[in-house]
Amino acid sequence: MKRILILMVALFAVQSALAGGPLDKKRVKTVSKSKAEQSAFDKAVELYAADQVDEAYALFLKEMKNADHKGYAATYIGSMMADADEMDAALNYLQQAEGNIPAKDSAFLAFFHGEMARAKAANPDASAEVLQHLQKAIDLQPNDAFYYERRGKFYQKLERYNEAVADCAKAATLAPDDMGAQISWGCALDANNQFSEALKVFDTVVGQWGNQADAYAYRASTLYNMAQYATATDDAIRALEIDGENRHALWLLPYLKAQDADMVLTKLKVKQAANPAKWDPIIADL
């Protein structure tokens, strides 16, 4: 049996497993002072938080002319460019933000360094710089699980699995109610061949978030790596019952079929009989 890496590592190393992802809307920062300033800068932040990026971009460009707002506006624009996979443009704006964010604003500075890491992670020769920025973010916000998780995912990309496990475990401890952080910990353990430990984590995830497809889909990958194919198939099917388009479960099913086609198809056909419209295309794609 050829071991598989969980999808987060195997297929999305260039994006979600690098140094982060799109702006965490909870991190939106307003810095305006006067009512006039608030109506301009804060409006831009509100638009971006609502995913109205074109309107937000136009307002942030204007706010870059305001010395008090330049660092913030440039960081937001850089983040938007990174969301659009325009990493060169993202880096250009983020470099304009550098040195223009007040040192006292540690939370936003941490966000800035996280976005710098994300932009630089597009360059395979910039790993050391990516890690430096993530370390700065952690130094600024040592109790924020967000940056440990980002760095843990990046360590996975670098195949530095022990360090990935340590960072993702830290993130999971800091954010026990964050399903994503718990899944990242399980993924890191799985990538480090610590399957029993990963399974314990995923069992906890399923226990706490049993109505979420990803809880079952990611556990299914670890069960596959433990050669527990029937149980892994049950989890993959459960994930698809919750969300018929769950990409991790859909990705895993062909691997399971390669191990025991009769078992997988028998289980799927039971579901197909009850709901042909849902399961016909899933079976047809195997």
Side-chain angles (χ1 to χ4, degrees), residues 221-240:
S221 290
T222 291
L223 289 165
Y224 175 96
N225 285 331
M226 299 174 76
Q228 297 184 29
Y229 304 126
T231 310
T233 300
D234 289 339
D235 266 4
I237 289 174
R238 179 63 183 135
L240 292 169

Side-chain angles (χ1 to χ4, degrees), residues 49-209:
D51 292 322
Q52 298 180 44
V53 294
D54 290 339
E55 297 90 337
Y57 174 73
L59 287 178
F60 280 134
L61 277 180
K62 293 180 180 178
E63 287 300 302
M64 284 187 65
K65 298 176 183 178
N66 182 326
D68 291 337
H69 296 171
K70 179 178 179 179
Y72 295 94
T75 299
Y76 279 125
I77 294 175
S79 181
M80 286 191 284
M81 293 297 173
D83 291 348
D85 290 327
E86 298 288 344
M87 295 305 180
D88 288 340
L91 191 57
N92 176 55
Y93 279 105
L94 290 165
Q95 287 170 337
Q96 293 183 61
E98 197 160 15
N100 288 294
I101 301 168
K104 64 182 180 181
D105 195 344
S106 61
F108 199 90
L109 271 175
F111 173 68
F112 162 78
H113 284 294
E115 293 305 282
M116 282 289 281
R118 179 156 67 123
K120 290 191 174 186
N123 179 357
D125 297 321
S127 296
E129 294 177 71
V130 172
L131 291 172
Q132 287 171 3
H133 281 291
L134 290 172
Q135 183 62 58
K136 288 179 180 178
I138 287 170
D139 290 343
L140 287 161
Q141 294 288 283
N143 294 316
D144 193 330
F146 188 68
Y147 301 111
Y148 289 100
E149 186 181 358
R150 281 189 165 194
R151 190 172 66 178
K153 290 179 180 180
F154 191 66
Y155 277 137
Q156 283 183 253
K157 176 183 178 289
L158 299 178
E159 299 182 358
R160 293 168 59 172
Y161 297 122
N162 287 332
E163 290 157 298
V165 168
D167 269 359
C168 290
K170 178 70 172 179
T173 300
L174 289 169
D177 296 323
D178 185 329
M179 186 182 75
Q182 307 307 312
I183 286 178
S184 291
W185 183 23
C187 290
L189 288 164
D190 183 279
N192 202 34
N193 296 326
Q194 295 176 252
F195 302 130
S196 295
E197 293 88 341
L199 184 59
K200 290 178 182 178
V201 171
F202 288 128
D203 283 345
T204 300
V205 171
V206 168
Q208 189 166 351
W209 293 282

